[in-house]
Amino acid sequence: MANELLRVEELSTSYGDLRALWGVSLEVRENEIVALLGGNGAGKSTSLRCIAGLHPVQSGTVLFEGRDLRAVKPHRRIREGLVLIPEERGIFPMMSVEENLKVGGFTIREKAGLETALAWVYGLFPVLRARRWQPAGSLSGGEQQMLSIGKGLVSQPKLLMLDELSLGLAPVLVLKLLDLLKEIHANGVTLVLVDQNVKKILSFCHRGYVFENGRIVLEGKAADLAADPRTRKAYLGR
Amino acid sequence: MQYLVNGLIIGAVYAVIGVGFTLIFGIMQILNFAYGELFMIAAYLAYFGVTVFMLPLWLILILAMAVMFLIGFGIEKAVILPVRMKIPDWVVPVILVTLALQIILQNLALILEGGNFLGIPAYIMGSLRVGNFSVSYERLLMFGICVATLAGIWLLLRKTKLGLALQAVSQNRDAAILSGINTNTVYALCFGLSGLLISIPGVLMMPHLYAYPTVGQVPIMKAFAVTLFGGMGNVAGAIIGGFILGVAETLAAGYISALVKDGVAFAVMILILVFYPAGVGTLLTRRKLG
């Protein structure tokens, strides 16, 4: 079996008095594609935000390549190879496409390294090259999503976590993005996807976790989860 | 013509004052009420530089810029960072901290230096005469330094990695952190930069003003007017706003009465808030920083 990349153990946190996660444990192995599923407010996004360091962890541990992330400040985690593409598109609307990508490569020190990384991203998303001088806020929803993925890729992460990839996008565009993610995965990037679109995502992923009310209620191989009636139940409430 | 020239010169100074103020709002969404007190400290630095240490102007200016950068940086690290660490929604608490800082710094100046009005003679004598209007060399130099400063800040924001980081934090804080930008460093640098900017007018205006504990009230009113005019946090807007305020004030003083001069800033503020609250900078660019 491949090496373990991310391990989350008994993760708990809250928003004020409202408990959001109740001891979530999961793991992601190298070269896997893992789906986090569940309804709104089930804790998927919060888990990702805790892993990335945007939300404080109250108890439990997050290990990345065996290293306890409590010792790694949020802005240093990208240097470890851990990148989150947040919900609501993590882009800078008033900067050009190219400037956005340059911020994505902020941790790359050498100019040549940045150029190579930019060229790789432009190769994956030719539309971004065509629009490189345009303000990011003027792109279409799909293009903005490509930009936010592209921006996350510039640092050439080991693990890319995508929150609500298909939110607000046309089904055709979602299929196109999934194709691109397949290519990104083929380039050796491990993926964690959060999405509401269970069918499409499960046909694309290796394994999945189903969240309900801040807990993981179901986990297993994607095909098994797709066949399990409890997956549907977790989404629809009952 | 004479009024226009004078107005543009003072406008360049207002632009620098405005940029230093709007920069902090653009990046941290806070108002720095202690901004005028940084001007006050720079004015005292210039006074002692001239009277006690008898240093040349260029050296005073460079030293004041360096010291004020460190003071700005230090203020963020010493009193604002601890508040930000404790309170997740820190915008309003931090504004209150700057208000407290304003009062503390004013009274500290009163204790240390007394309430006297300390003045210095002109840095440079003489004026340039062309036809029937004249400009003093000192004002020309002031104009030159302020315009160079504005060009410098624009280059910094648009062409350097630090500028990219400042813009990123101002537009999407979470995404900036996820990209590996240390927001705490950015905030401290932003305060340092703001202190450096205000030190320039603080030193250069000294011969026309006095150093006294509440001298900061004058520039902070201008800073508010210029910032509101340009749009909160909009650097390009603040530059335009500075020049327009300078010209408007000089024209009002020349054609109406010197008494209305300081009222112009308030009139500008009220008009812009009533008719175009987003600020004129938004007409030029949606991008806030440069």
Side-chain angles (χ1 to χ4, degrees):
Chain A
M1 246 197 161
N3 288 329
E4 180 180 278
L5 196 56
L6 177 75
R7 172 180 281 282
V8 176
E9 279 166 358
E10 293 298 318
L11 179 65
S12 294
T13 192
S14 54
Y15 291 98
D17 290 335
L18 198 71
R19 189 87 178 261
L21 294 181
W22 304 75
V24 164
S25 300
L26 55 87
E27 55 167 12
V28 179
R29 298 185 169 274
E30 251 172 47
N31 279 316
E32 260 191 323
I33 308 180
V34 173
L36 307 186
L37 307 167
N40 267 334
K44 304 157 294 173
S45 296
T46 306
S47 302
L48 293 191
R49 288 177 65 83
C50 286
I51 295 167
L54 290 180
H55 192 80
V57 173
Q58 269 158 3
S59 66
T61 48
V62 181
L63 302 171
F64 188 70
E65 291 189 304
R67 188 164 176 203
D68 190 341
L69 284 186
R70 266 176 302 190
V72 184
K73 284 183 184 157
H75 71 270
R76 306 283 304 188
R77 293 183 190 182
I78 186 173
R79 289 169 210 261
E80 304 283 318
L82 175 74
V83 167
L84 167 67
I85 293 164
E87 207 177 346
E88 301 290 321
R89 290 168 200 148
I91 58 167
F92 307 103
M94 285 168 280
M95 286 192 210
S96 70
V97 167
E98 175 129 331
E99 283 175 311
N100 265 276
L101 295 178
K102 277 187 178 162
V103 176
F106 194 78
T107 49
I108 304 174
R109 289 196 186 281
E110 318 78 43
K111 207 170 172 172
L114 183 62
E115 294 295 326
T116 322
L118 286 183
W120 177 55
V121 172
Y122 281 139
L124 284 166
F125 303 99
V127 64
L128 295 183
R129 191 196 294 275
R131 304 210 185 284
R132 65 203 290 191
W133 308 123
Q134 218 168 295
S138 72
L139 302 181
S140 73
E143 287 163 355
Q144 289 191 16
Q145 191 58 280
M146 289 183 202
L147 176 58
S148 73
I149 298 172
K151 182 179 149 289
L153 285 173
V154 181
S155 63
Q156 288 163 328
K158 294 172 193 149
L159 175 64
L160 188 68
M161 307 185 290
L162 293 111
D163 199 354
E164 299 290 358
L165 166 84
S166 63
L167 197 72
L169 296 183
V172 189
L173 268 173
V174 177
L175 286 179
K176 199 176 157 196
L177 279 178
L178 286 178
D179 276 348
L180 280 163
L181 285 181
K182 216 166 263 174
E183 202 177 328
I184 291 161
H185 177 250
N187 273 285
V189 182
T190 306
L191 298 172
V192 172
L193 307 178
V194 161
D195 214 284
Q196 309 268 354
N197 202 330
V198 191
K199 246 189 190 164
K200 257 179 215 162
I201 289 295
L202 279 179
S203 63
F204 178 77
C205 293
H206 302 134
R207 285 191 309 117
Y209 294 87
V210 179
F211 284 69
E212 202 178 340
N213 296 328
R215 292 183 174 90
I216 288 176
V217 291
L218 211 57
E219 60 176 278
K221 287 198 175 114
D224 297 344
L225 286 179
D228 197 320
R230 285 176 296 174
T231 308
R232 249 173 72 90
K233 189 176 155 267
Y235 266 92
L236 301 174
R238 52 205 72 241
Chain B
M1 186 64 194
Q2 178 78 58
Y3 292 140
L4 194 64
V5 171
N6 286 346
L8 286 175
I9 291 172
I10 196 71
V13 178
Y14 289 168
V16 172
I17 293 175
V19 169
F21 190 68
T22 215
L23 199 60
I24 288 191
F25 188 85
I27 291 163
M28 302 177 72
Q29 284 79 48
I30 61 158
L31 299 166
N32 176 14
F33 278 99
Y35 190 56
E37 280 49 53
L38 296 179
F39 180 96
M40 178 264 289
I41 298 173
Y44 276 111
L45 289 178
Y47 173 79
F48 290 118
V50 170
T51 58
V52 178
F53 301 103
M54 287 178 276
L55 300 173
L57 174 61
W58 63 269
L59 193 56
I60 293 176
L61 195 60
I62 289 172
L63 286 175
M65 283 161 73
V67 169
M68 294 308 295
F69 177 86
L70 291 176
I71 289 179
F73 191 92
I75 284 175
E76 210 288 330
K77 285 281 184 209
V79 298
I80 292 177
L81 177 72
V83 175
R84 289 199 291 105
M85 291 290 110
K86 278 237 168 65
I87 311 167
D89 286 326
W90 45 260
V91 168
V92 175
V94 166
I95 293 175
L96 292 177
V97 166
T98 69
L99 208 55
L101 207 59
Q102 174 189 43
I103 298 165
I104 293 168
L105 288 173
Q106 277 179 12
N107 285 285
L108 209 60
L110 195 62
I111 294 167
L112 292 175
E113 295 307 322
N116 297 329
F117 285 49
L118 308 173
I120 57 169
Y123 291 116
I124 312 163
M125 299 297 182
S127 349
L128 175 73
R129 277 172 208 286
V130 181
N132 58 356
F133 76 94
S134 73
V135 192
S136 72
Y137 288 127
E138 191 175 87
R139 281 176 164 263
L140 272 180
L141 182 72
M142 189 158 83
F143 182 74
I145 293 175
C146 286
V147 169
T149 306
L150 295 172
I153 198 81
W154 191 86
L155 282 176
L156 178 88
L157 288 173
R158 285 305 287 274
K159 303 287 170 199
T160 67
K161 213 170 168 181
L162 173 62
L164 199 65
L166 290 170
Q167 289 195 40
V169 174
S170 119
Q171 290 180 28
N172 189 338
R173 188 167 159 259
D174 279 355
I177 297 173
L178 292 174
S179 306
I181 294 168
N182 184 347
T183 46
N184 286 337
T185 308
V186 164
Y187 291 153
L189 284 174
C190 169
F191 257 80
L193 212 53
S194 178
L196 183 151
L197 285 170
I198 193 65
S199 74
I200 294 165
V203 168
L204 294 177
M205 300 267 281
M206 245 318 259
H208 309 277
L209 287 165
Y210 297 96
Y212 54 97
T214 53
V215 68
Q217 298 301 309
V218 185
I220 199 166
M221 281 337 293
K222 311 292 183 199
F224 264 114
V226 166
T227 298
L228 279 171
F229 189 82
M232 301 296 288
N234 190 313
V235 168
I239 294 175
I240 311 265
F243 280 103
I244 289 178
L245 180 66
V247 171
E249 267 191 14
T250 328
L251 291 180
Y255 289 106
I256 306 170
S257 154
L259 292 172
V260 302
K261 188 178 146 252
D262 285 332
V264 171
F266 291 98
V268 165
M269 269 196 252
I270 293 167
L271 288 176
I272 202 77
L273 283 175
V274 171
F275 293 107
Y276 204 79
V280 295
T282 52
L283 298 174
L284 293 164
T285 166
R286 289 186 55 221
R287 177 197 298 265
K288 277 185 170 170
L289 306 175

